[in-house]
Amino acid sequence: MAERPSQAIKLTNKLQDSDNVAVLSIAAHHHHAPPASHTQGDPSVSVIEILDDDNMINSATSRDAEVAREVGSNKRRRTASPIREAATDTKTKEDVKPREDKTKDVNFFFLDSKQIGDTRRRQCLSCQKNGIEKWLVAEATTLRRHMESMHKGKYLAWATKNNFISMLPSNRKAQKQAVVKSKLSQKTLDGHLCKIPSKQVVRYSHAAFKAATIEWMTMTNQPLNVLNHPKFKKMIDIASRAEGGVVIPANKEVRLAILDLFKKNILNLRENLNRDTVGQISMTCDAWQASNTDAYFAVMGHWIEDSTAGVWKQHSALFGFVLMNTSHNGVCLGQALFQVVDRLRVTTK
């Protein structure tokens, strides 16, 4: 059997602008030349029949309507481009603003850079006019610092005359601060805010106060005699004089206040114990473990103060209340006791 001939079919779509006709050109390379009836005819009809040695391949046809739609869409795409180009061409040179040269001031007051040694430097023209040859590193910031320190008046006069924003370091800093200030002022909402009306205050009555007291005692597990404590009565007395309701302090605020009060009391106690009128100090200690397995160590101090001749006054105070995180042997308790007395500076008494 003879070798099967190779065939290559090349398909090219080409749009002719003269008559808007889509031509489908088909070139078939075959062992036998294709009949002339398949290479000539109406270009709008693309009926192709290619015969090989064994089979006949029928190619689908494209309708005239599809060709017309394709031609129309290509025509619209071609005509849209010149319109956009014409629209962009309508801009005049006056509409396009030239980009401002940010180093215009440096180029005016200094010569072009010149390689001197390992660095490039520029000569100051103002100093040259004064008979001074001044070469500076060719950095815009360095050159402007020189102008600010030596020729600030001449620089500002030139900037005003040429409508140029001053680029001196001090002026640039003031400009940035002004921008930040303007941004901050724009973010304020004072003009859109209104005062929140105060909450309605419940009128006092003995029955309402009694009910609130009982509820507080039961919810916080307070003893019955807490109402007779002078500090509790003082707190209620202060709250009764408040106008517009009582402001309850936050937990964090109370915690910081307690720590601050503790430090003040420790300092006052240390000062009193180290007076010459105070002699020897006796201490009592106790350690125990709570129901939650936390261990505590408390130290009480007792002393007599001879403030005036022949008058002795006995004092007692809590020196320390320590949470024990270690075992309760003699070494650990002794270390805790030493830390308490050392904080008060009474180790020698």
Side-chain angles (χ1 to χ4, degrees):
M1 179 182 292
E3 184 179 359
R4 187 183 186 89
S6 62
Q7 55 180 345
I9 301 175
K10 182 179 180 182
L11 204 59
T12 305
N13 289 323
K14 188 174 183 182
L15 187 64
Q16 297 179 351
D17 295 335
S18 58
D19 52 359
N20 295 329
V21 177
V23 178
L24 181 63
S25 61
I26 304 171
H29 301 279
H30 198 270
H31 181 69
H32 302 286
S37 59
H38 297 298
T39 60
Q40 297 177 358
D42 190 357
S44 63
V45 180
S46 58
V47 181
I48 307 166
E49 296 179 358
I50 300 176
L51 302 178
D52 58 9
D53 295 338
D54 299 325
N55 300 315
M56 179 175 65
I57 303 173
N58 295 323
S59 173
T61 64
S62 59
R63 295 181 179 84
D64 294 341
E66 296 176 353
V67 174
R69 286 196 296 270
E70 182 68 20
V71 171
S73 61
N74 291 336
K75 185 176 180 181
R76 286 192 297 271
R77 285 195 294 268
R78 291 197 309 275
T79 56
S81 178
I83 294 175
R84 290 193 298 269
E85 293 178 358
T88 56
D89 292 340
T90 56
K91 291 184 177 180
T92 61
K93 294 182 179 181
E94 297 178 356
D95 297 335
V96 181
K97 296 182 179 180
R99 189 172 182 178
E100 184 180 4
D101 186 8
K102 295 184 178 180
T103 59
K104 182 178 178 181
D105 55 341
V106 175
N107 296 331
F108 181 82
F109 288 101
F110 294 89
L111 292 177
D112 294 339
S113 61
K114 180 180 178 181
Q115 187 72 26
I116 300 178
D118 297 335
T119 59
R120 299 192 67 85
R121 297 178 177 272
R122 302 182 71 168
Q123 186 178 10
C124 177
L125 295 176
S126 300
C127 292
Q128 187 182 24
K129 292 179 181 180
N130 297 332
I132 302 174
E133 187 175 354
K134 190 71 174 180
W135 290 86
L136 301 169
V137 178
E139 294 290 341
T141 304
T142 303
L143 300 176
R144 285 167 180 153
R145 286 175 181 171
H146 171 73
M147 293 301 300
E148 185 175 24
S149 61
M150 303 299 296
H151 316 288
K152 184 175 182 180
K154 184 181 296 186
Y155 180 95
L156 295 177
W158 173 86
T160 304
K161 181 179 179 181
N162 293 272
N163 196 20
F164 184 82
I165 300 177
S166 176
M167 301 294 287
L168 297 180
S170 59
N171 298 133
R172 289 293 297 165
K173 183 178 180 180
Q175 294 167 9
K176 292 180 180 179
Q177 291 177 352
V179 172
V180 173
K181 186 176 181 180
S182 63
K183 289 182 178 180
L184 293 176
S185 62
Q186 293 175 359
K187 294 181 180 180
T188 57
L189 301 175
D190 296 341
H192 304 278
L193 301 179
C194 58
K195 186 177 180 181
I196 300 176
S198 58
K199 296 181 180 180
Q200 185 178 2
V201 181
V202 180
R203 294 182 62 86
Y204 173 82
S205 66
H206 180 70
F209 180 75
K210 180 180 178 181
T213 303
I214 294 174
E215 184 178 3
W216 169 72
M217 292 177 62
T218 55
M219 294 297 294
T220 58
N221 196 22
Q222 298 292 333
L224 294 177
N225 60 353
V226 69
L227 302 179
N228 299 325
H229 199 282
K231 297 298 182 182
F232 178 80
K233 293 182 178 180
K234 180 180 178 181
M235 180 182 65
I236 296 300
D237 184 55
I238 294 175
S240 63
R241 301 174 186 177
E243 297 180 358
V246 179
V247 179
I248 306 298
N251 296 345
K252 185 176 181 180
E253 182 181 359
V254 173
R255 177 179 177 275
L256 295 176
I258 292 175
L259 293 176
D260 186 58
L261 180 62
F262 171 77
K263 294 178 182 179
K264 290 180 180 179
N265 290 339
I266 288 293
L267 293 177
N268 292 335
L269 181 60
R270 180 194 300 175
E271 183 180 356
N272 293 334
L273 292 176
N274 287 275
R275 292 177 180 175
D276 296 335
T277 56
V278 176
Q280 298 295 322
I281 300 175
S282 300
M283 290 179 291
T284 56
C285 305
D286 189 14
W288 72 94
Q289 187 173 10
S291 59
N292 59 354
T293 69
D294 288 341
Y296 298 95
F297 178 66
V299 180
M300 291 289 297
H302 314 275
W303 69 96
I304 297 176
E305 183 178 5
D306 187 8
S307 57
T308 57
V311 179
W312 291 357
K313 188 175 182 180
Q314 185 178 355
H315 297 276
S316 297
L318 178 65
F319 282 6
F321 192 86
V322 184
L323 175 64
M324 298 291 294
N325 294 325
T326 57
S327 58
H328 305 164
N329 54 32
V331 176
C332 295
L333 293 175
Q335 292 175 350
L337 177 61
F338 179 78
Q339 292 178 359
V340 171
V341 296
D342 183 63
R343 181 175 58 187
L344 297 174
R345 306 290 191 271
V346 292
T347 54
T348 58
K349 293 188 176 185

